[in-house]
């Protein structure tokens, strides 16, 4: 779908990246909170992977594959402001959360996990499952509106009995941006650790895990990083690394894996947070997205994102929609949400018309412009939503999310 006038191209420098994303030719793609658009360069990278396997065979491990979880982790590290040697790649956030927990030892006195009820459910499943043996207790911080989590309530829940605070930087449903610094400071004040879920912030909100002083951070590449599935990352603060011995482990965490030693001796750096053989194709697929994000810079992406989500709020209000994401841009990530009793059905009809957005219960229609989105696409989307609502051009029976 060609939705861009010459004028927009002249005033919005980031639109030059549109030609790198094939899906933008035939859709209005506003779903970077779920699956960011694939860069064309990913075709070549995946071909390169197949070519390497086909021609170099097993030698590929020694020629780069083995080190990829750490070398690719370094590229993500640049996006999240981490020092070299402090990020490794894994499959997803859920496994990274388990790995973090496996580094810690709950005691009779310090065994509390604190998180908000608006955390991503998969993350909660990990801690709830581990709490079943009675060695951990979970404190869930309530939200009053299903959109925000009061900072004071979060800080109050973190006390001397807290072992770990796994919290989202940007909430997946409402895009509420949490005060990661204040939560981390409070945790450290009482001797607890934090693991920051940066899935919905990395690549759209500038931050530095170093400045935030978090103990751990984890996220994936599927969304704002345009890197596709299977390329999750884990940051561990450099001064903590040698003090931790993860129980979720494997031969890649060994200091000399090819010695096939029967005793585990942990690697002296970030590699000790690996486990078994890595998902090499996913790492090849992810790199072109990181390169583009690093080339543009997250500051510029954020500047445009704030402008476009603010514009979307104006357009939605003019069209009589209820906006459910935070109105203060300083407390909002890259997503904008619209509540409506028929939000699920409107979403399906939008997708059928090639406006790619999604729906989440409690939040409504989720819409995410990214650096490749034109202003004209925002106008077209809200106009289409209004048209669908006003003409009731949707299937009446639709209730849940399609993806
Ligand atoms: C904040 C947040 N955390 C985690 C996930 C996904 O976790 P995983 O990588 O385990 O699939 C998502 C995905 O939607 C998310 O939005």
């Amino acid at each position: 779908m060609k939705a861009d006038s010459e004028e927009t191209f002249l005033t919005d420098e980031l639109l030059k990246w549109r030609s790198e994303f094939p899906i933008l030719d035939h859709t209005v793609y506003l779903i970077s909170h779920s699956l960011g658009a694939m860069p064309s360069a990913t075709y070549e990278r995946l071909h390169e992977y197949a070519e390497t396997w086909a021609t170099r065979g097993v030698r590929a491990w020694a020629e780069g594959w083995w080190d990829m979880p750490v070398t690719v982790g370094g590229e993500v590290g640049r996006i999240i402001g981490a020092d070299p040697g402090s990020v490794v790649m894994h499959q997803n956030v859920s496994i990274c959360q388990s790995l973090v927990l496996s580094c810690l030892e709950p005691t009779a006195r310090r065994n509390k996990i604190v998180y908000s009820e608006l955390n991503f459910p998969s993350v909660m499943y990990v801690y709830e499952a581990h709490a079943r043996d009675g060695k951990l207790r979970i404190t869930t911080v309530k939200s009053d509106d299903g959109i925000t989590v009061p900072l004071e309530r979060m800080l109050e829940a973190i006390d001397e009995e807290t072992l770990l605070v796994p919290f989202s930087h940007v909430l997946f449903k409402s895009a509420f941006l949490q005060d990661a610094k204040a939560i981390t400071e409070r945790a450290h004040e009482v001797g607890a650790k934090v693991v920051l879920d940066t899935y919905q912030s990395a690549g759209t909100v500038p931050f530095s895990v170093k400045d935030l002083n978090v103990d751990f951070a984890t996220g994936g590449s599927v969304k704002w990083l345009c890197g596709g599935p299977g390329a999750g990352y884990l940051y561990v603060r450099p001064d903590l690394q040698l003090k931790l011995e993860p129980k979720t482990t494997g031969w890649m965490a060994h200091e000399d894996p090819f010695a096939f030693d029967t005793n585990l001796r942990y690697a002296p750096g970030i590699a000790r947070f690996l486990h078994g053989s890595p998902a090499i194709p996913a790492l090849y697929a992810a790199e072109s997205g990181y390169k583009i994000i690093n080339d543009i810079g997250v500051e510029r992406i954020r500047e445009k994102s704030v402008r476009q989500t603010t514009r979307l709020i104006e357009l939605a209000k003019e069209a009589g929609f209820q906006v459910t994401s935070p109105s203060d841009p300083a407390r909002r990530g890259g997503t904008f949400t619209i509540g409506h009793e028929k939000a699920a059905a409107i979403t399906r009809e939008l997708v059928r018309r090639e406006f790619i957005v999604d729906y989440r219960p409690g939040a409504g229609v989720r819409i995410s412009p990214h650096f490749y989105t034109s202003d004209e696409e925002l106008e077209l989307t809200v106009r289409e939503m209004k048209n669908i609502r006003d003409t009731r051009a949707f299937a009446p029976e639709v209730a849940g999310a399609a993806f």
Side-chain angles (χ1 to χ4, degrees):
M1 188 172 296
K2 300 276 179 213
D4 324 294
S5 67
E6 229 168 79
E7 198 187 327
T8 3
F9 272 99
L10 291 177
T11 52
D12 185 345
E13 251 189 65
L14 300 193
L15 291 180
K16 72 171 190 229
W17 293 96
R18 283 181 72 85
S19 56
E20 304 284 330
F21 295 89
I23 204 164
L24 303 184
D25 289 345
H26 60 274
T27 70
V28 174
Y29 201 75
L30 293 167
I31 195 157
S32 295
H33 54 266
S34 176
L35 182 62
M38 189 198 84
S40 313
T42 305
Y43 283 120
E44 281 109 70
R45 288 298 285 151
L46 283 172
H47 186 264
E48 197 182 320
Y49 159 71
E51 190 66 13
T52 306
W53 184 11
T55 58
R56 301 303 298 155
V58 72
R59 290 168 291 187
W61 285 113
E63 290 167 1
W65 284 10
W66 187 264
D67 295 327
M68 276 183 89
V70 174
T71 54
V72 174
E75 291 166 46
V76 176
R78 286 175 58 205
I79 299 171
I80 64 170
D83 277 337
S86 59
V87 179
V88 277
M89 302 306 292
H90 282 286
Q91 191 187 341
N92 57 47
V93 164
S94 308
I95 192 70
C96 291
Q97 299 276 354
S98 294
L99 202 146
V100 166
L101 185 55
S102 85
C103 296
L104 307 177
E105 216 50 76
T107 62
R109 172 140 169 69
R110 191 182 286 281
N111 56 25
K112 223 168 81 167
I113 306 289
V114 176
Y115 52 65
S116 101
E117 63 175 340
L118 299 182
N119 239 4
F120 191 73
S122 187
V123 173
M124 300 199 263
Y125 303 157
V126 169
Y127 294 95
E128 280 164 18
H130 281 275
R132 269 189 235 135
D133 66 7
K135 292 195 190 124
L136 288 178
R137 283 178 300 142
I138 310 240
T139 295
T140 308
V141 177
K142 299 278 172 214
S143 159
D144 292 327
D145 54 8
I147 296 169
T148 58
V149 181
L151 178 63
E152 284 315 309
R153 209 175 282 169
M154 199 67 194
L155 300 184
E156 267 165 35
I158 304 169
D159 58 18
E160 277 74 11
E161 296 179 355
T162 306
L163 180 67
L164 185 66
V165 185
F167 71 105
S168 294
H169 199 187
V170 170
L171 301 181
F172 80 102
K173 259 193 200 179
S174 63
F176 177 61
L177 177 57
Q178 301 215 87
D179 189 338
K181 193 147 197 151
I183 295 171
T184 305
E185 274 170 9
R186 170 68 183 153
H188 288 173
E189 217 171 78
V190 294
K193 292 193 168 45
V194 305
V195 50
L196 182 65
D197 180 341
T198 53
Y199 218 143
Q200 294 290 358
S201 56
T204 185
V205 177
F207 66 93
S208 151
V209 284
K210 239 172 104 175
D211 293 348
L212 293 175
N213 196 27
V214 294
D215 306 284
F216 307 94
T218 177
S221 307
V222 174
K223 306 174 193 298
W224 305 93
L225 301 183
C226 301
Y233 56 86
L234 173 65
Y235 162 81
V236 184
R237 215 177 61 212
D239 63 295
L240 274 182
Q241 290 176 13
L242 297 191
K243 297 181 190 150
L244 301 172
E245 300 196 330
K247 292 196 265 304
T248 296
T249 189
W251 69 310
M252 285 198 84
H254 198 284
E255 70 172 356
D256 188 6
F258 290 92
F260 301 103
D261 186 356
T262 49
N263 295 314
L264 170 58
R265 282 178 285 121
Y266 287 98
I270 190 69
R272 67 169 53 207
F273 299 93
L274 292 172
H275 46 73
S277 310
I280 298 295
L283 302 183
Y284 269 86
E287 280 183 297
S288 24
Y290 307 153
K291 181 166 183 331
I292 292 173
I293 302 284
N294 271 320
D295 283 354
I296 301 174
V298 185
E299 294 281 351
R300 287 172 77 204
I301 294 176
R302 173 69 171 165
E303 205 181 298
K304 173 167 175 174
S305 163
V306 168
R307 180 175 66 72
Q308 289 197 322
T309 48
T310 303
R311 177 70 188 133
L312 271 169
I313 290 176
E314 284 165 14
L315 288 169
K317 285 187 174 162
E318 276 164 30
F321 284 108
Q322 182 209 349
V323 175
T324 48
S325 42
S327 50
D328 176 5
R331 294 265 64 91
R332 187 173 71 231
T335 304
F336 148 84
T337 53
I338 284 185
H340 189 275
E341 50 167 356
K342 297 288 181 200
I346 292 175
T347 301
R348 283 196 196 224
E349 181 56 21
L350 274 170
V351 173
R352 201 186 64 74
R353 298 181 185 191
E354 304 282 355
F355 288 82
I356 314 298
V357 297
D358 69 6
Y359 162 80
R360 286 294 174 265
V365 189
R366 293 193 302 176
I367 301 176
S368 294
H370 208 0
F371 58 88
Y372 43 62
T373 306
S374 70
D375 290 355
E376 208 169 340
E377 286 178 310
L378 309 181
E379 317 252 347
L380 287 174
T381 304
V382 176
R383 196 192 306 159
E384 205 68 19
M385 281 185 73
K386 184 173 183 298
N387 173 278
I388 294 169
R389 179 197 63 193
D390 294 348
T391 59
R392 302 187 65 78
F394 44 76
E397 75 279 8
V398 171
F403 41 75

